[in-house]
Amino acid sequence: MTMTKQEAEIRVHKLSELLNHLNHQYYVENISEVSDFEYDKMLKELQDLEVMFPELASENSPTKRVGGDITKKFATIVHEYPMLSLSNTYSQEEIIEWENRIHKLVGNNIEYVCELKYDGVAIGIRYDNGTFTRAVTRGDGTKGEDVSANVKTIRTVPLQLHGNFPPTFEIRGEIIFPFEAFNKLNKQREDEGEELFANPRNTASGTLKQQDSSIVASRGLDCFLYGVYGVDFEEGHYEAVLDAGTWGFKIPTPQKNYITKTNSISGIMDFIHYWDEKRHDLPFAVDGVVIKVNSFAQQEELGYTAKSPRWAIAFKFETEQAITTLEEVTYQVGRTGAITPVANLTPVSLGGTIVKRASLYNEDQMNKLDLHEKDVVFVEKGGEIIPKIVGVDIKQRKPNAQRINYITSCPECGTALKRFEGEAIHYCTNDLGCPPQITGRIIHFISRKAMDVEGLGEETIEQLFREGLIHNSADLYELTFDQLVNLERMAEKSANNLLEGLEKSKQVPFERVLFALGIRYVGETVAKKVAKALKNMDAIMQASYDQLIGIDEVGEKIAIAIQQHFEQAENREIVAHLQRIGLTFEIEEKQLESNVLEGKSIVVSGVFQSFSRDELKAIIEAHGGKNVGSISAKTSFIVAGENMGPSKLQKAQDLGVQILSEEEFKQLIEGK
């Protein structure tokens, strides 16, 4: 049934309201009112309506949570209220001295608020009439960068408030990278042969600077918001935080002891001692405790120094470090051939866990440490998830200790290692004959985000490879019941489940099949972009460098990796084998909404107000047009947003290619 614009407007409003409510309940209140399937179904309906009626797509639509906006340059914004840093101390005596000074300045009737000091990225978010307006980083404290498109993808940041909120205000807090999401990202990078990120705080900061907000959306950042500015509260900071919680913000709650109010130095010390001991149980990184005078009137009376408020101070926990002995350095081989050196240590307690291993990352890091056999080393964790060696006690080094040099050949197959220009990692290039690379690729092939083969895990893959039953991913589909049921620990039911899982995986869409092939540097997002742009496997295998480089997210390194992958006869044979088996090797074409753009090759360039570049490209395809990455004489027209590249503009003018504004394009597809 065709929906009128008026009907669509009512439905869009209803879906947006419901999705905002469900999002708050799930991500802030930890209440799941509907299944993931139902939520995704409603979100998909809203996305489809916004594509059909672009003028109904709000800047703060729930669909913005999935990202897709491209930001070429972050605008610099002057803070209305300077974002000052706090005075730091590692000394409890200095906390006592600070508290005594407060008493001398404002008397004895003082309440203090104690909060966790989150190890994240400071953010200030403005709301007008309950609607998200802008998010700005701390920057230099006077001005920061507008990262609104990226912050909108963080599910715990409300786009629309509820309750009795002020008409206009700014709220500040900290964007954090929870350990679970950070470890998941590093596991993904490890699977793709990329260097691991060292700690959540730096990774959160780097993520906020991503130009593609869909990448930010995929990473699972979180946010605590707790500092309200631009509102005259009669009470104090503690009460303002609780009020903000009623408007829809994720706040540090008293129930979890993330925030507390006290009127004594002993209460402050109790909070510090509690979290110094319990911080390792938190699902995110903290590096201390913040103490503030609660009363806003007293805060105003105390005022500021040139750099920080007098009414607040931060107590920093000591960075945790341990001393232990380096037993040996071993080397892991990833599925892409990436070699990761690992320090094997005499077990030592650090940060509430027993540490036996520490990543050395690459040859440069090893050279920097100048490691020798049986060195006594300093291991640090602190905000780091992956323990790392930060130094060597040279005084304890044995006189005859031999220097540990980075290996020159693969520890698994003996192939000479290669370090590509501009990279810190060494690779084993024997990708078709090195056992860990072979099994690693097959394990990646069956993983949840790839083929998602139920009933098949890493141990079974290793077993099948050892038994000589599989040598590549395509061999999985030739397995028989008799072969499986005779394996150790494989009963009839398990064998049947495995075969059913393989059969079911034949329905997996093309973009996930492409990701499953394990092409170096082609992660989940890139696979989607390439599949969508080139439509089928044959086109990808035959694509020129220029075709590949013209696809969003595909740079020189990725384009070369795709071409090199399919230059190998063995890889082409695996693809041919999988095609014969019946896997999906082309994008399923959707029914067109109209043919108004049929036969037209269209270039999209710049930043747009009403929709992201991906949404715009989807609209072009939905109306029969073809998206192309580069301008040529065959280009029908260019849809140009803000900040269109000068070289593209010049080329369009030289070739006489028509340039349409965002509004002109809308009118075209609406038949005007």
Side-chain angles (χ1 to χ4, degrees), residues 444-478:
H444 169 76
F445 182 84
I446 66 164
S447 64
R448 187 175 60 83
K449 289 189 174 183
M451 301 305 294
D452 193 20
V453 181
E454 296 177 17
L456 187 55
E458 293 187 19
E459 288 185 9
T460 306
I461 293 294
E462 300 280 2
Q463 185 181 15
L464 291 167
F465 182 76
R466 284 196 308 270
E467 297 288 337
L469 296 176
I470 59 171
H471 300 91
N472 58 52
S473 304
D475 289 342
L476 291 169
Y477 294 91
E478 305 296 345

Side-chain angles (χ1 to χ4, degrees), residues 34-192:
V34 300
S35 67
D36 289 350
F37 174 78
E38 290 174 291
Y39 181 92
D40 291 342
K41 186 177 177 183
M42 286 186 280
L43 186 64
K44 178 67 167 62
E45 182 185 351
L46 181 59
Q47 287 174 318
D48 290 344
L49 285 171
E50 289 178 349
V51 169
M52 194 181 304
F53 300 95
E55 64 274 21
L56 300 181
S58 162
E59 274 299 300
N60 288 328
S61 166
T63 59
K64 294 294 182 182
R65 298 290 192 186
V66 300
D69 292 314
I70 305 295
T71 306
K72 290 299 182 186
K73 184 179 180 183
F74 296 102
T76 299
I77 305 293
V78 176
H79 293 300
E80 188 173 351
Y81 312 96
M83 292 186 79
L84 301 177
S85 56
L86 297 178
S87 298
N88 290 328
T89 179
Y90 291 89
S91 164
Q92 294 185 34
E93 287 73 20
E94 288 184 5
I95 295 291
I96 296 170
E97 290 172 7
W98 172 82
E99 201 263 351
N100 285 333
R101 286 197 303 273
I102 298 297
H103 274 292
K104 288 177 182 178
L105 291 168
V106 294
N108 293 321
N109 188 22
I110 304 170
E111 288 183 322
Y112 301 99
V113 181
C114 301
E115 305 170 73
L116 292 172
K117 188 175 185 298
Y118 304 95
D119 195 14
V121 181
I123 197 75
I125 310 175
R126 180 185 170 95
Y127 287 82
D128 292 297
N129 299 316
T131 300
F132 178 108
T133 304
R134 187 171 64 207
V136 182
T137 60
R138 179 195 296 277
D140 63 4
T142 302
K143 56 186 181 296
E145 292 182 305
D146 186 339
V147 290
S148 301
N150 289 341
V151 172
K152 282 181 184 180
T153 70
I154 301 173
R155 305 279 179 159
T156 44
V157 174
L159 303 180
Q160 186 67 50
L161 304 182
H162 55 251
N164 189 26
F165 51 81
T168 297
F169 67 97
E170 181 176 325
I171 189 164
R172 291 177 177 172
E174 205 87 4
I175 291 173
I176 57 176
F177 214 144
F179 293 154
E180 184 179 355
F182 177 75
N183 290 334
K184 181 180 176 183
L185 175 62
N186 259 347
K187 177 67 168 64
Q188 180 182 329
R189 290 179 68 82
E190 184 179 28
D191 289 345
E192 293 171 10

Side-chain angles (χ1 to χ4, degrees), residues 421-433:
E421 186 177 350
E423 293 202 25
I425 301 172
H426 284 73
Y427 289 89
C428 167
T429 56
N430 182 24
D431 53 326
L432 299 173

Side-chain angles (χ1 to χ4, degrees), residues 11 100 121 141 143 197 325 383 591 611 625 646 653 662:
R11 184 61 179 160
N100 285 333
V121 181
K143 56 186 181 296
F197 290 129
T325 302
Q591 189 172 355
F611 26 59
Q653 291 171 341
E662 187 173 351

Side-chain angles (χ1 to χ4, degrees), residues 546 550 603 628-632 635 648 651:
D546 287 341
V603 171
V628 292
S630 55
I631 300 168
S632 70
T635 302
K648 279 190 175 180
K651 188 169 184 180

